[in-house]
């Protein structure tokens, strides 16, 4: 009896149970799904447990926009193959929670404060032994309506440099890193106690908020580290993170996807809410109304950082907005007709880089055990789509893809986790797949053979 009780307790906290994972995969293909109030499209998309950061233990593992789940000791399952050894981890995450990108063009009913978080910005000589260190300086954002008249309308009294990380995002980063250490450091012995250039390779986008996230996550991983660490970056003009390189065909897909009948239907279903918002928030300008991105961003940033929604937005309206955001991500990256070709051009170069690095570990020409990339929703979304994700809700703050490389009897295997759980994929079971099979399945459709040719319009 006792062991039965223990067993059921163990089952209850296991993240890899279908009910928990189901929260990532609601039925949202139909444009009408966002306004449906019954059936399996009627999920709540309002971020749970968001204000305090870490959600309740019972709910941990469920989709949570403000602080997405990640590999964590109490919910992490070892592979069934007991003799397998983990040899490397490639980990791509979105930054942690932040202030808004999009505040209302004529001002907000709240004043965003970021004065409890200091964005350090300074440079210094590489030779720190013989040359003077810089003074440590940080950005201190202010607005003063007595000298800058625009301060009265646009974000009055803010101390945030939008979309900077918030102190809550930094705290979440520390938790994220500490949890990764518990799994990949303590439990699996993969991560080194001290990060060296031979074993650890870190990369970020060129944006401040991914670097600020790295500062938190890496502190969680290595609490006593005193040295500075390199965060590898590419030239912003050609960065494969963010898909910044020139590519006309990718741009053509970006210009086309909102012109489809499904997308028009999506906007039409939500037209009454849009009309109401245009008046309420003085947002009758095109960039607020071509999709639901900006309202999502504005409301998410409020809820994730402890601010109320605007008084005129009730839970039903907020839920509809968040479901509209989920619908748009799923349509853009998974269900639209051109999705596969689009993703290849959007993120195929980045995928090629991730695969090449893993291939070097398999070939024995690299000793990198840990490759961590700090990126954006616009990177995590096409990455999960390239991995065949069955349904894509908006990849929330700190959402992550783990590509675990394992070795069993001289054979290498991959295990793909999305937000700490096996990804449900149209490519088949990616929870244990031979490395070579994985690479051909994944890169066959996701990496351009000749990106210059394929980027030409109508190639
Ligand atoms: C969980 O779902 C998978 C398929 O998605 C199925 O094969 C498996 O039987 C389910 N497990 C349980 C306990 O329902
Ligand atoms: C949603 O419901 C439909 C029909 O009721 C079913 O076919 C589908 O599998 C369900 N989807 C999920 C994710 O449970
Ligand atoms: C900004 O703060 C000042 C000083 O606290 C206050 O007088 C002013 O009303 C505030 N402005 C807005 C637009 O909230
Ligand atoms: C798909 O791509 C083709 C070729 O670029 C374009 O003509 C078409 O409008 C696109 N369709 C959608 C739904 O984006
Ligand atoms: C938005 O602006 C357009 C064009 O200026 C106008 O026709 C429309 O009535 C406005 N809508 C709202 C809700 O204010
Ligand atoms: C690794 O080995 C494979 C198979 O032997 C080879 O095709 C590939 O070029 C090698 N790749 C790297 C990055 O060394």
């Amino acid at each position: 009896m006792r062991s039965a009780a223990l067993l059921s307790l163990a089952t209850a906290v296991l993240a890899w149970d279908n009910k928990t994972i189901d929260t990532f995969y609601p039925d949202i293909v139909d444009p009408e799904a966002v306004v449906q109030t019954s059936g399996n499209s009627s999920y709540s998309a309002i971020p749970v447990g968001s204000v305090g950061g870490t959600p309740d233990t019972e709910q941990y593992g469920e989709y949570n926009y403000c602080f997405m789940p990640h590999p964590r000791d109490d919910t992490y399952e070892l592979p069934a193959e007991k003799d397998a050894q983990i040899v490397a981890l490639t980990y791509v995450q979105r930054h942690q929670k932040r202030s808004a990108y999009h505040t209302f063009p004529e001002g907000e009913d709240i004043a965003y404060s970021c004065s409890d978080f200091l964005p350090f910005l300074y440079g210094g000589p590489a030779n720190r032994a013989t040359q003077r260190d810089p003074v440590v300086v940080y950005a201190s954002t202010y607005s003063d309506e007595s000298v800058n008249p625009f301060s009265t309308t646009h974000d009055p009294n803010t101390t945030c440099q939008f979309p900077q990380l918030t102190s809550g995002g930094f705290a979440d980063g520390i938790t994220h890193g500490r949890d990764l250490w518990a799994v990949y450091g303590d439990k699996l012995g993969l991560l080194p106690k001290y990060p060296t250039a031979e074993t650890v390779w870190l990369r970020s986008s060129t944006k401040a908020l991914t670097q600020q996230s790295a500062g938190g996550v890496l502190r969680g991983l290595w609490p006593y580290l005193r040295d500075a660490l390199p965060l590898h970056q590419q030239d912003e003009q050609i960065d494969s993170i963010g898909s910044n390189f020139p590519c006309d065909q990718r741009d053509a897909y970006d210009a086309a996807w909102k012109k489809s009948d499904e997308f028009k239907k999506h906007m039409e279903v939500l037209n009454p809410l849009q009309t109401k918002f245009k008046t309420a928030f003085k947002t009758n300008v095109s960039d607020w109304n071509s999709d639901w991105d900006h309202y999502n961003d504005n409301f998410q940033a409020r809820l994730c950082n402890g601010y109320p929604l605007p008084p005129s937005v009730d839970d039903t309206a907020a839920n509809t907005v968040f479901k509209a955001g989920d619908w748009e991500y799923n349509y853009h990256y998974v269900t639209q007709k051109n999705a596969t070709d689009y993703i290849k051009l959007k993120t195929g170069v980045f995928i090629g880089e991730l695969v090449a690095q893993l291939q070097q570990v398999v070939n024995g020409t690299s000793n990198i055990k840990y490759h961590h990339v700090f990126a954006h929703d616009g990177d995590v979304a096409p990455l999960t789509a390239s991995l065949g994700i069955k349904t894509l809700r908006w990849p929330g703050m700190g959402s992550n893809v783990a590509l675990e490389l394992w070795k069993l009897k001289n054979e290498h295997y991959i295990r793909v986790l999305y937000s700490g759980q096996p990804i449900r994929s149209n490519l088949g079971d990616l929870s244990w797949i031979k490395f070579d099979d994985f690479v051909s399945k994944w890169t066959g459709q996701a990496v351009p053979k000749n990106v210059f040719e394929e980027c030409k319009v109508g190639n």
Side-chain angles (χ1 to χ4, degrees):
M1 240 191 97
R2 204 172 145 190
S3 63
L6 278 176
L7 197 68
S8 72
L9 187 69
T11 321
V13 295
L14 214 56
W16 293 18
D17 85 47
N18 287 347
K19 232 173 100 265
T20 306
I21 305 181
D22 281 348
T23 61
F24 286 80
Y25 303 92
D27 191 1
I28 48 168
V29 174
D30 181 354
E32 310 260 9
V34 302
V35 290
Q36 272 162 19
T37 52
S38 66
N40 56 14
S41 308
S42 67
Y43 68 104
S44 169
I46 296 179
V48 283
S50 45
V51 175
T54 312
D56 292 350
T57 307
E58 292 116 80
Q59 288 182 315
Y60 186 80
E62 291 184 10
Y63 177 98
N64 181 347
Y65 182 87
C66 296
F67 190 29
M68 294 289 274
H70 46 257
R72 203 175 82 164
D73 185 45
D74 58 345
T75 53
Y76 184 83
E77 269 193 17
L78 288 164
E81 290 72 7
K82 294 213 167 11
D83 296 331
Q85 288 282 322
I86 190 166
V87 291
L89 171 67
T90 294
Y91 196 80
V92 180
Q93 75 157 102
R94 186 188 184 193
H95 53 75
Q96 308 296 149
K97 70 189 182 188
R98 52 155 173 75
S99 53
Y101 268 90
H102 305 283
T103 55
F104 296 134
E106 297 194 30
E108 296 276 329
D109 60 305
I110 52 169
Y112 274 99
S113 172
C114 291
S115 48
D116 55 357
F117 183 77
L118 307 184
F120 293 102
L121 297 163
Y122 60 101
N127 187 341
R128 300 171 73 205
T130 61
Q131 286 176 275
R132 296 297 296 269
D133 272 345
V135 167
V136 172
V137 294
Y138 56 88
S140 178
T141 303
Y142 72 104
S143 72
D144 184 348
E145 22 186 296
S146 70
V147 287
N148 183 338
F150 293 96
S151 304
T152 55
T153 54
H154 203 85
D155 311 322
N157 288 351
T158 191
T159 52
C160 297
Q161 194 66 262
F162 300 105
Q164 73 161 84
L165 210 71
T166 54
S167 58
F170 181 76
D172 287 353
I174 292 193
T175 304
H176 194 162
R178 206 172 50 209
D179 290 346
L180 287 178
W181 180 266
V183 172
Y184 295 106
D186 275 344
K187 190 188 209 107
L188 295 175
L190 173 72
L191 302 181
K193 288 219 159 59
Y194 186 87
T196 63
E198 287 72 41
T199 55
V200 172
W201 203 84
L202 308 166
R203 180 175 171 193
S204 77
S205 75
T206 54
K207 304 289 187 252
L209 78 167
T210 54
Q211 299 160 35
Q212 291 160 354
S213 297
V217 172
L218 298 172
R219 176 55 73 218
L221 275 159
W222 291 291
Y224 304 110
L225 188 71
R226 300 190 75 93
D227 284 356
L229 291 179
L231 262 189
H232 293 88
Q233 294 182 6
Q234 296 182 355
D235 178 348
E236 185 160 333
Q237 325 264 332
I238 55 151
D239 200 347
S240 57
I241 296 179
S243 195
N244 290 1
F245 49 86
C247 183
D248 292 340
Q249 182 57 51
R250 176 205 57 211
D251 297 347
Y253 290 137
D254 270 326
W257 73 282
K258 291 184 197 165
K259 295 188 177 135
S260 71
D261 290 344
E262 292 103 312
F263 195 88
K264 284 183 190 149
K265 176 79 185 168
H266 162 68
M267 294 307 284
E268 193 186 302
V269 165
L270 294 167
N271 187 265
L273 193 59
Q274 190 178 54
T275 305
K276 195 179 138 204
F277 282 3
K278 279 180 184 170
T279 310
F281 307 125
K282 302 195 174 80
T283 45
N284 192 6
V285 287
S286 62
D287 68 323
W288 278 81
N289 295 293
S290 65
D291 56 39
W292 285 84
D293 174 86
H294 292 15
Y295 292 112
N296 267 273
D297 169 63
N298 186 287
F299 297 173
Q300 288 155 351
R302 288 170 181 249
L303 290 185
C304 293
N305 293 292
Y307 299 97
L309 289 170
S312 59
V313 178
D314 62 14
D315 278 3
T316 307
N319 194 30
T320 304
V321 168
F322 295 136
K323 284 169 73 178
D326 287 344
W327 188 90
E328 289 179 3
Y329 266 78
N330 192 55
Y331 181 68
H332 192 187
Y333 295 104
V334 179
T335 61
Q336 65 137 322
K337 209 174 96 239
N338 291 329
T340 306
D341 294 332
Y342 170 62
I343 283 160
K344 192 200 241 190
L345 298 180
K346 172 93 178 157
T347 206
V349 174
F350 178 49
I351 292 169
E353 291 167 344
L354 296 178
V355 169
Q357 192 270 344
L358 279 168
Q359 183 76 63
Q360 284 166 15
V361 176
V362 169
N363 287 19
T365 53
S366 160
N367 290 320
I368 297 294
K369 295 185 182 321
Y370 181 48
H371 178 176
H372 193 137
V373 181
F374 297 89
H376 301 267
D377 48 0
D379 304 296
V380 173
L383 185 62
T384 56
S386 74
L387 289 163
I389 197 164
K390 281 185 185 286
T391 302
L392 177 63
R393 296 183 63 187
W394 194 319
M397 301 301 175
S399 54
N400 52 88
V401 172
L403 304 175
E404 298 179 349
L405 182 68
W406 292 78
K407 196 171 178 184
L408 178 67
K409 300 191 185 92
N410 283 329
E411 185 91 59
H412 284 90
Y413 294 83
I414 285 280
R415 186 161 73 153
V416 183
L417 306 183
Y418 175 50
S419 283
Q421 303 161 346
I423 192 168
R424 285 187 191 161
S425 168
N426 290 320
L427 302 181
D429 182 1
L430 302 183
S431 68
W432 193 255
I433 176 171
K434 281 188 180 164
F435 179 76
D436 292 339
D437 293 346
F438 172 69
V439 169
S440 58
K441 233 179 205 188
W442 189 26
T443 62
Q445 59 169 6
V447 177
K449 307 243 168 343
N450 181 339
V451 72
F452 296 107
E453 277 307 310
E454 292 177 51
C455 276
K456 287 182 185 156
V457 172
N459 67 77

